[in-house]
Amino acid sequence: MSFSVSRPLLPVVIDHLCRIYPDEDNNTLASRILEAMHLEQGAFTAELHQNKWSESDLWVITYGDSILHPDEAPLKTLKRFSDQYLKPEVSGLHILPFFPYSSDDGFAVINYAQVNESLGDWPDIEAIGADYDLMADLVINHCSQRSQWFENFKQRKDPGKDYFVEADPETDLSEVVRPRTSPLLCETQTLDGIRHVWCTFSHDQVDLDFANPELLIEMVRIIRRYLEQGVRIFRLDAVAFVWKEIGTNCVHLPQTHELVRLLRTLIEAHTEAAIVITETNVPNHENLSYFGNANEAHAIYNFSLPPLLLHALVTGTSAHLKRWQMSMPPAQTGTFYFNFIASHDGIGLRPANGLLSQEDLDELVNTMQSFGARISWRAVSGGTNEPYEINVALYDALQGTSKGPDKWQQQRFLCAHAVMLALEGVPGIYIHSLLATQNDYDKLELTGHNRSINRHRWDYDALTAKLLDQASHHSQCFTAMKNLLKIRSQQPAFHPNAFQAVLHLGDEIFAFWRQSLNRNQSIFCLHNMTDEIVEVPINSINLTSLDVWQDLISGDTYSFEDESLHIPPYGFVWLTNRG
């Protein structure tokens, strides 16, 4: 049940700030923040435990230049392609960082207030935001060494002089959690001599210092700008690392969580329909903490799903996937899981920690390498490295099993997406999965960066020709995927917060039951994780004898009197009692 809490906005913001900056004049700081956000200090109504989403919500994740056409701004090409090929099944677009940048394909932002001129301009962003729920990245943990802020840091002038985290290289920083293998501190020449700046990800991505309230005010102005340009969903990139405190692991600190709560308050006060999603590629129990008590992130990336689902499909057992799903708490009303199985990055392995054994992880890594994947590493305590993510196009990742490539690549690929689409949460589909794009070895060789293998750029005419060619695997997968999206969007039992329970039908089948919020529709979702036909007795599914059950995929009907289902290799059925 949703309910509203109405309070003056100023005291709410002050309360957040007192938890982040106990020694500041937070009355004055709160007034400055509200001014930066163009908000009044009067009444603020917080809608708690309210769902702003439905079963019709689905987002496609894409770079602004994933599809190119000569003599046309890529953002215009993206809009044209989306209008022609993605509507009406796709409700939203997540355009990965579309700002001027110096590295990491956009995640080393030079200027937060500009659109990369090679992509287009703000009117192009607004046009997309007018027709789609637009998600944008708030790259909050770091910015580019080439940004004006960092140039000012080196020149020892504002704004920027005090915007970056510094540390003494003699300090013991061995407990700091790292997602990379590069040295944490970067030696930087300034007008005041050598400084050592903190770089969690790369030396071109310099960490911002939110212990300085002036930086927070700058970031609030940036958020307001995005809202005014049509952004409705904010992806808080790498937010887990945003607060640093010497002597800690510098991840998930209390100030980090309070900062997320503050930003949510400000964003919702400006635009009630806006949504905050945290991107925290960390072990599962740590990731769950960003829900707070339904007062922090509206959604969290479901980071454990990609490695566990991939493992299930290449090993033929859903045991680990099933055990994880059984342990997952249902998202409270007013929150949801953001489900994805592929992205612009790789398939993260840290979220599988504690869920897959080292032997399982080694088998997965070795299998993916045999399919052409690259492996990225991270530094861990003791001076060693461990696999951090698998870099591969999902279509190629599913070309076979741990036994080697086989003939089931396309069906396995569709089965993976059927699982994601049916699970509790809102699905996000990477554009190269929707298009069944394969590993881009040319781009990998050109850039030397592992993640480039799954960041292909399509020529618009070449792509549309592939989609029109019914013999092409791109066309076949795209058509099948669009059909799945259409089916999903029409089922109340697939509401992101609809009830879910895992079914025990053997490890070969990953199965669960969804029930609509009003209990009028049930869907039994059964997915074969193996390369063999699996027989499932009807009486083991617990179908009620009063209903006729129809498979939403094939249209076939079943009743309590039928003896069994025969599910082909990597096949799936969605049995519903609602015609």
Side-chain angles (χ1 to χ4, degrees):
M1 178 180 294
S2 65
F3 60 91
S4 300
V5 176
S6 184
R7 295 175 57 191
L9 183 56
L10 183 62
V12 175
V13 174
I14 291 172
D15 184 59
H16 288 306
L17 292 173
C18 286
R19 300 171 192 273
I20 303 171
Y21 306 109
D23 299 325
E24 292 289 332
D25 175 4
N26 286 312
N27 287 19
T28 301
L29 178 57
S31 295
R32 293 181 62 201
I33 286 174
L34 292 180
E35 181 182 359
M37 198 70 176
H38 290 182
L39 291 172
E40 300 294 332
Q41 298 183 12
F44 162 61
T45 300
E47 297 288 346
L48 301 179
H49 303 288
Q50 179 192 47
N51 294 331
K52 308 176 185 180
W53 38 84
S54 75
E55 60 273 14
S56 64
D57 282 310
L58 181 139
W59 296 315
V60 165
I61 305 163
T62 180
Y63 280 102
D65 58 358
S66 290
I67 304 172
L68 301 171
H69 191 276
D71 303 320
E72 183 176 50
L75 288 171
K76 287 184 171 63
T77 305
L78 174 62
K79 176 71 162 56
R80 184 157 60 94
F81 178 83
S82 300
D83 291 347
Q84 183 173 356
Y85 287 94
L86 303 187
K87 280 187 173 182
E89 291 82 10
V90 172
S91 63
L93 293 177
H94 171 200
I95 306 177
L96 292 154
F98 45 78
F99 321 104
Y101 70 94
S102 55
S103 63
D104 199 18
D105 283 349
F107 286 92
V109 178
I110 293 175
N111 189 329
Y112 290 90
Q114 290 182 3
V115 174
N116 188 336
E117 63 180 12
S118 70
L119 299 178
D121 209 340
W122 282 115
D124 300 314
I125 293 294
E126 290 184 69
I128 293 172
D131 289 341
Y132 299 88
D133 293 331
L134 176 60
M135 186 193 306
D137 291 273
L138 188 66
V139 186
I140 194 171
N141 180 71
H142 49 262
C143 70
S144 168
Q145 280 227 25
R146 288 174 48 196
S147 67
Q148 189 59 55
W149 287 350
F150 197 67
E151 287 297 322
N152 288 351
F153 170 83
K154 292 187 290 186
Q155 297 298 318
R156 312 310 294 148
K157 63 183 183 181
D158 292 321
K161 179 169 66 71
D162 300 311
Y163 280 10
F164 299 92
V165 182
E166 300 181 50
D168 185 336
E170 299 301 316
T171 302
D172 181 6
L173 300 173
S174 59
E175 296 304 311
V176 175
V177 171
R178 297 297 314 288
R180 298 291 186 272
T181 57
S182 57
L184 176 61
L185 300 182
C186 176
E187 184 177 289
T188 302
Q189 182 69 52
T190 76
L191 287 182
D192 289 345
I194 296 293
R195 300 293 182 108
H196 294 86
V197 293
W198 196 291
C199 300
T200 297
F201 290 88
S202 78
H203 284 185
D204 187 46
Q205 295 166 293
V206 195
D207 283 39
L208 295 162
D209 188 3
F210 278 90
N212 178 2
E214 296 301 320
L215 173 64
L216 173 61
I217 293 171
E218 289 280 3
M219 196 60 69
V220 166
R221 292 192 183 102
I222 290 163
I223 290 170
R224 187 201 75 230
R225 173 69 181 271
Y226 294 177
L227 286 165
E228 292 172 349
Q229 301 291 345
V231 172
R232 192 174 80 81
I233 302 110
F234 286 81
R235 176 186 183 269
L236 304 189
D237 177 66
V239 69
F241 302 95
V242 80
W243 196 275
K244 283 78 176 174
E245 193 169 298
I246 303 299
T248 74
N249 62 7
C250 297
V251 63
H252 316 310
L253 296 185
Q255 296 92 332
T256 297
H257 285 282
E258 195 63 44
L259 185 62
V260 174
R261 289 191 282 269
L262 168 63
L263 295 182
R264 170 174 170 166
T265 294
L266 296 171
I267 288 168
E268 283 192 309
H270 187 285
T271 303
E272 184 179 331
I275 293 171
V276 171
I277 299 182
T278 49
E279 187 267 339
T280 50
N281 189 0
V282 294
N284 190 57
H285 67 282
E286 299 174 27
N287 191 29
L288 288 169
S289 69
Y290 285 86
F291 275 141
N293 185 24
N295 64 345
E296 200 163 324
H298 293 96
I300 61 172
Y301 270 69
N302 212 351
F303 271 108
S304 296
L305 177 60
L308 290 176
L309 181 55
L310 182 62
H311 176 270
L313 287 164
V314 301
T315 62
T317 174
S318 67
H320 300 296
L321 179 64
K322 185 164 55 177
R323 188 178 303 116
W324 165 67
Q325 267 300 292
M326 290 174 61
S327 73
M328 290 289 278
Q332 293 187 57
T333 303
T335 66
F336 65 89
Y337 292 106
F338 184 58
N339 294 327
F340 73 108
I341 53 177
S343 75
H344 60 291
D345 291 337
I347 296 170
L349 296 177
R350 282 202 74 208
N353 286 355
L355 302 172
L356 294 176
S357 69
Q358 190 58 53
E359 182 180 356
D360 292 324
L361 287 168
D362 289 343
E363 180 181 18
L364 183 59
V365 166
N366 291 336
T367 301
M368 290 302 104
Q369 286 182 308
S370 74
F371 294 162
R374 301 297 187 264
I375 306 299
S376 295
W377 301 76
R378 78 180 190 101
V380 295
S381 58
T384 60
N385 298 330
E386 69 176 20
Y388 176 70
E389 67 181 15
I390 300 167
N391 304 113
V392 65
L394 187 63
Y395 189 76
D396 279 348
L398 294 170
Q399 65 186 267
T401 69
S402 54
K403 297 177 289 187
D406 59 27
K407 63 181 180 180
W408 301 111
Q409 180 176 17
Q410 191 172 128
Q411 186 58 38
R412 190 182 292 112
F413 179 75
L414 293 173
C415 182
H417 285 90
V419 170
M420 179 189 70
L421 291 170
L423 280 173
E424 173 194 353
V426 173
I429 301 182
Y430 187 40
I431 195 164
H432 291 304
S433 294
L434 193 60
L435 303 173
T437 308
Q438 296 175 277
N439 290 336
D440 189 336
Y441 294 111
D442 290 338
K443 188 171 184 182
L444 174 66
E445 183 177 357
L446 179 66
T447 67
H449 298 302
N450 286 349
R451 287 177 169 177
S452 296
I453 199 171
N454 194 26
R455 297 179 178 180
H456 182 69
R457 291 190 179 103
W458 277 100
D459 172 77
Y460 183 94
D461 292 332
L463 173 59
T464 54
K466 292 283 189 185
L467 296 181
L468 292 172
D469 178 6
Q470 296 182 8
S472 162
H473 81 268
H474 301 286
S475 175
Q476 293 166 6
C477 288
F478 184 75
T479 300
M481 292 271 279
K482 286 267 287 184
N483 185 53
L484 288 178
L485 303 189
K486 181 178 180 179
I487 293 170
R488 181 193 189 278
S489 68
Q490 298 171 353
Q491 313 308 319
F494 284 153
H495 185 284
N497 297 95
F499 175 80
Q500 176 175 297
V502 174
L503 305 177
H504 299 278
L505 302 176
D507 291 342
E508 297 89 353
I509 298 291
F510 180 51
F512 47 91
W513 170 39
R514 302 294 308 279
Q515 186 179 55
S516 60
L517 297 173
N518 62 10
R519 302 187 180 183
N520 286 342
Q521 184 189 28
S522 287
I523 303 178
F524 290 90
C525 309
L526 285 68
H527 310 86
N528 186 353
M529 298 284 108
T530 77
D531 56 6
E532 303 286 343
I533 297 172
V534 177
E535 182 177 350
V536 180
I538 288 288
N539 60 14
S540 69
I541 310 174
N542 200 30
L543 301 182
T544 59
S545 59
L546 299 178
D547 292 316
V548 173
W549 295 82
Q550 182 177 44
D551 177 17
L552 291 166
I553 308 300
S554 67
D556 295 340
T557 58
Y558 300 87
S559 69
F560 188 73
E561 287 75 23
D562 291 312
E563 292 186 0
S564 60
L565 285 169
H566 292 81
I567 307 179
Y570 306 105
F572 46 91
V573 294
W574 291 346
L575 294 174
T576 184
N577 61 343
R578 177 178 178 265

